Amino acid sequence: MLLTSEQTANPMRINNPYKLTFSSLLELPFDSWDLSEFSGTKLWMRHQSLNLSALHRKLFKCRLDRDKLAAVVADISGHFGLVFQGGDEAFAASDACNTALILFGYDGQSKQHYFGQSGAAIVDQLELTDRDTSSIGALSIALSGYTIGTNTLYESVRALAPGTLIYLKHGQTPTECSTHQFRPWEAQPLKWDRLKSELSEELRAMFERLIQSAAGRPIVVPLSAGLDSRVLVAGLKEFGYKNVKCFAYGLSGNHEALASKRIAEALGYSWEFVPYTNQRQKAVYQSEEHREYVTFADTLTGVHFEQEFLALRELRETGWLEGDAIILNGQSGDFISGNHIPTKFFTASTDDVQERKRLIVNELIERHFKLWRSVATEDSHSLVAERLTRELGQFDPFPDDPSLDYGLYEWSEFKDRQSKYVVQNVRLYEFFKFDWRMPLWDREFMDFWAKAPLSAKKNQALYRETLRDLDWGGVWHSVPVNLRNIRPMWIRPLRLALKALHAPVGKQKWHQFERRYLTYWTNNLCSTAHIPYARITRDTRGAWGAVSWWTEKYLARRGLSLETVLERSATQ
């Protein structure tokens, strides 16, 4: 459904009128997308099953009526990104969760605008250097791994927000409108039995769409010990889809893999395990192929998603992962069903709007903006808080009911962390040239959870109860959910002894010690193998985890050190 102007975010304004010209860059970032040409216009698009020619003609017919154009885009189902060019006009659109994150660059000297999906191509075309970076964009990435709002690492480049259409015409200022918005602050007080019934129906409809889209092709699922990938394989079993394989990865004997194997065997699906070690990961991180992936995945909005690279490469090389396979990803049922809501929102806060905004912003900062203790200064957090508060300023007037503020928190995390980092995991599948599906981010599923009340989302109560009661595949009672263990085995007694020694100084000191000295060995993904262990233990800047080190490397590739980021932010 098309949203009214009162429901949309403020349009991005560029004051200078410009001469609309497009270089070959337009084709460069979209060379893996489908291309349709019709009546002197071009449509680049990424979509799993849409009739591109029919859509192109429909967009061409209504291209001069922006309301009709937005309505056509809003009616597109599934995950997609599109760019249309014709004569003196162009437009681009993103899907509801930004699986095809589109960048929008502006060259102030030539007054040219560029669409692209490749951050590297945009940077090269605009000849950007570290002096062109955004101080708040760099600071946000250093602290969290991603930017805030439509900001990117560079002042002259913006990212389309989820569910956004941007329209450009010669001599006019670019305008934006929303074609879909995740709106969890508008939850409805629905009764429990109705919610369970509707969730069950939403799940059935989701699998109907998935199975129709897959059309008998092999479906491969990275299967863990949690709820999300489990519901995918169990649902495929329930609805009779037979061409399914599963895999797991990580340290040998890890809890995710043990549960994954039990689930796959119970469902009668083939299962494969890819062992991770620091040595194997180090070799991967030093490879040219991995460097190419990091460049390929760069959206200028944050660090790449890493964890399945080794597994996919090995399964491809051995032939276990077939070329026509569809990778079925379980993200992000954990988030959308309520598991990321801070406990402070379980009770209503004050009616004071400024205090409500402060609580939302503080929770976001406390949970996500802490990758480097040396960067997480009071001044840095103040700058981030100012920018996050500005994003909340899109709500004018601010929603009346403070008991729904958890939905504003979810909205903020969704448009930044989820859409720019977690969802961009699909870039990894595209790098290896595999098709993919992410049904738990279907627009219809998002809309259901947007209307679910806090009682349904608290501790994922509705999601957990519904899945257990449905008991698809018979894997919801016999195999524990996320029953964690510590690997490798040799470190267990040492860890217990060290933890006991830290008892007098408290949990915070213990966790800092553990992250600095033990996580290198116990991290299931061996994600810090690209950093020498001695360097990690000597470092005093307070890295939070593996993403901290990847973020430092990401900024360094763009000519920025953590110290430089901090210095430049101080001059704001």
Side-chain angles (χ1 to χ4, degrees):
M1 181 179 69
L2 184 64
L3 303 178
T4 66
S5 58
E6 289 79 12
Q7 295 171 315
T8 62
N10 296 328
M12 177 173 61
R13 297 296 182 186
I14 299 177
N15 296 323
N16 308 51
Y18 61 92
K19 179 181 179 182
L20 179 61
T21 57
F22 290 97
S23 73
S24 60
L25 173 68
L26 188 61
E27 297 186 37
L28 181 63
F30 299 103
D31 58 3
S32 62
W33 291 23
D34 293 325
L35 171 64
S36 171
E37 299 188 53
F38 173 71
S39 192
T41 66
K42 294 181 179 181
L43 174 65
W44 287 267
M45 189 166 189
R46 196 201 68 195
H47 192 283
Q48 279 101 6
S49 56
L50 202 65
N51 184 324
L52 187 61
S53 297
L55 176 65
H56 191 174
R57 284 162 173 75
K58 188 181 291 187
L59 292 171
F60 177 83
K61 185 177 180 180
C62 65
R63 70 191 187 284
L64 300 179
D65 186 326
R66 298 182 195 181
D67 289 338
K68 289 184 178 179
L69 181 64
V72 170
V73 173
D75 197 44
I76 300 173
S77 63
H79 298 124
F80 69 90
L82 66 84
V83 174
F84 179 100
Q85 178 203 354
D88 65 349
E89 63 187 346
F91 54 84
S94 55
D95 64 22
C97 64
N98 238 358
T99 58
L101 194 152
I102 297 173
L103 299 171
F104 177 62
Y106 179 65
D107 186 335
Q109 291 186 339
S110 65
K111 297 185 179 179
Q112 293 183 4
H113 289 70
Y114 300 94
F115 288 127
Q117 198 188 21
S118 165
I122 289 280
V123 168
D124 289 346
Q125 180 67 36
L126 299 180
E127 298 181 347
L128 301 176
T129 71
D130 65 288
R131 304 308 304 178
D132 301 307
T133 55
S134 159
S135 57
I136 187 62
L139 180 63
S140 301
I141 291 174
L143 286 170
S144 67
Y146 52 84
T147 58
I148 298 170
T150 60
N151 283 0
T152 71
L153 184 60
Y154 294 93
E155 292 283 0
S156 59
V157 183
R158 290 291 179 267
L160 261 65
T164 298
L165 170 71
I166 185 169
Y167 183 90
L168 298 87
K169 187 173 178 62
H170 172 68
Q172 296 182 10
T173 300
T175 58
E176 289 186 15
C177 69
S178 178
T179 56
H180 183 274
Q181 195 172 61
F182 180 52
R183 304 172 66 81
W185 66 90
E186 294 184 346
Q188 303 172 16
L190 302 176
K191 292 184 178 180
W192 192 261
D193 288 346
R194 177 179 170 183
L195 284 166
K196 284 186 66 176
S197 175
E198 289 191 12
L199 177 55
S200 299
E201 289 306 310
E202 286 292 342
L203 287 166
R204 290 186 176 93
M206 181 182 77
F207 280 101
E208 288 175 3
R209 293 191 298 269
L210 172 62
I211 290 171
Q212 182 180 11
S213 170
R217 291 167 59 189
I219 291 181
V220 177
V221 184
L223 180 58
S224 69
L227 300 173
D228 304 331
S229 58
R230 186 181 316 210
V231 73
L232 295 183
V233 292
L236 290 171
K237 185 70 174 181
E238 176 73 14
F239 290 91
Y241 202 90
K242 301 185 185 304
N243 198 359
V244 180
K245 297 197 290 188
C246 309
F247 71 92
Y249 49 87
L251 295 173
S252 294
N254 75 81
H255 75 282
E256 302 277 9
L258 294 176
S260 173
K261 185 178 182 181
R262 288 182 62 186
I263 294 166
E265 288 177 345
L267 297 173
Y269 290 147
S270 170
W271 182 84
E272 190 74 12
F273 177 68
V274 179
Y276 281 22
T277 66
N278 282 312
Q279 186 176 8
R280 296 192 77 201
Q281 283 285 53
K282 182 179 179 180
V284 164
Y285 296 150
Q286 292 175 343
S287 69
E288 181 61 29
E289 188 174 33
H290 188 268
R291 285 190 287 271
E292 290 173 358
Y293 164 63
V294 171
T295 299
F296 175 86
D298 187 4
T299 63
L300 307 182
T301 61
V303 69
H304 63 283
F305 203 91
E306 177 63 47
Q307 66 188 49
E308 293 170 356
F309 185 94
L310 171 57
L312 291 176
R313 190 177 78 163
E314 181 164 314
L315 294 174
R316 178 200 60 180
E317 290 176 349
T318 62
W320 186 88
L321 194 51
E322 302 158 275
D324 65 337
I326 297 172
I327 299 179
L328 187 60
N329 186 288
Q331 293 167 342
S332 294
D334 180 66
F335 164 78
I336 205 167
S337 63
N339 203 36
H340 290 205
I341 299 174
T343 57
K344 288 185 180 179
F345 295 109
F346 288 175
T347 55
S349 63
T350 174
D351 290 332
D352 182 82
V353 170
Q354 297 307 315
E355 182 62 21
R356 289 165 59 196
K357 289 182 179 179
R358 186 194 65 79
L359 175 61
I360 294 167
V361 167
N362 284 352
E363 285 298 303
L364 288 165
I365 290 175
E366 183 177 329
R367 285 172 173 256
H368 301 303
F369 291 83
K370 57 184 180 182
L371 289 183
W372 289 99
R373 196 165 61 248
S374 62
V375 183
T377 64
E378 185 176 341
D379 289 343
S380 295
H381 277 169
S382 293
L383 290 170
V384 169
E386 180 183 349
R387 186 53 59 100
L388 290 170
T389 303
R390 188 185 305 177
E391 290 295 306
L392 290 172
Q394 294 180 26
F395 298 94
D396 187 17
F398 203 68
D400 292 330
D401 190 351
S403 70
L404 297 175
D405 284 355
Y406 71 90
L408 298 173
Y409 175 93
E410 287 186 299
W411 168 81
S412 187
E413 181 181 332
F414 161 71
K415 70 183 183 60
D416 289 335
R417 185 176 186 273
Q418 293 295 322
S419 73
K420 294 172 187 169
Y421 176 59
V422 178
V423 169
Q424 297 311 310
N425 185 32
V426 299
R427 293 288 183 101
L428 182 56
Y429 308 144
E430 292 168 0
F431 176 76
F432 284 113
K433 303 189 183 309
F434 288 112
D435 203 354
W436 55 267
R437 300 290 186 273
M438 206 154 45
L440 299 183
W441 276 120
D442 279 1
R443 181 180 62 188
E444 296 84 352
F445 205 58
M446 292 173 63
D447 290 343
F448 169 80
W449 284 108
K451 72 179 183 181
L454 180 60
S455 59
K457 289 183 170 181
K458 185 177 178 181
N459 301 319
Q460 296 179 282
L462 177 66
Y463 193 46
R464 290 176 179 272
E465 182 175 315
T466 303
L467 296 181
R468 286 178 64 85
D469 286 354
L470 289 172
D471 197 22
W472 287 345
V475 293
W476 297 94
H477 300 276
S478 58
V479 184
V481 175
N482 288 328
L483 185 62
R484 300 186 181 277
N485 60 20
I486 300 294
R487 287 290 189 273
M489 291 290 290
W490 64 262
I491 209 168
R492 285 187 179 185
L494 176 61
R495 180 180 177 275
L496 285 173
L498 292 170
K499 186 176 182 179
L501 290 174
H502 279 79
V505 295
K507 288 185 178 180
Q508 183 177 0
K509 291 290 186 182
W510 158 244
H511 289 312
Q512 289 177 2
F513 177 90
E514 184 178 30
R515 284 193 294 270
R516 186 170 176 181
Y517 294 99
L518 301 183
T519 302
Y520 180 89
W521 308 106
T522 60
N523 182 292
N524 187 43
L525 305 175
C526 304
S527 299
T528 53
H530 59 109
I531 306 294
Y533 177 69
R535 178 182 167 191
I536 294 174
T537 59
R538 289 197 302 265
D539 193 274
T540 59
R541 296 171 299 168
W544 180 259
V547 178
S548 305
W549 297 100
W550 283 116
T551 298
E552 182 183 33
K553 281 196 168 184
Y554 175 79
L555 292 169
R557 286 196 302 275
R558 296 299 178 192
L560 299 171
S561 66
L562 294 180
E563 293 72 24
T564 301
V565 169
L566 199 57
E567 289 169 5
R568 291 184 182 178
S569 67
T571 62
Q572 276 209 310

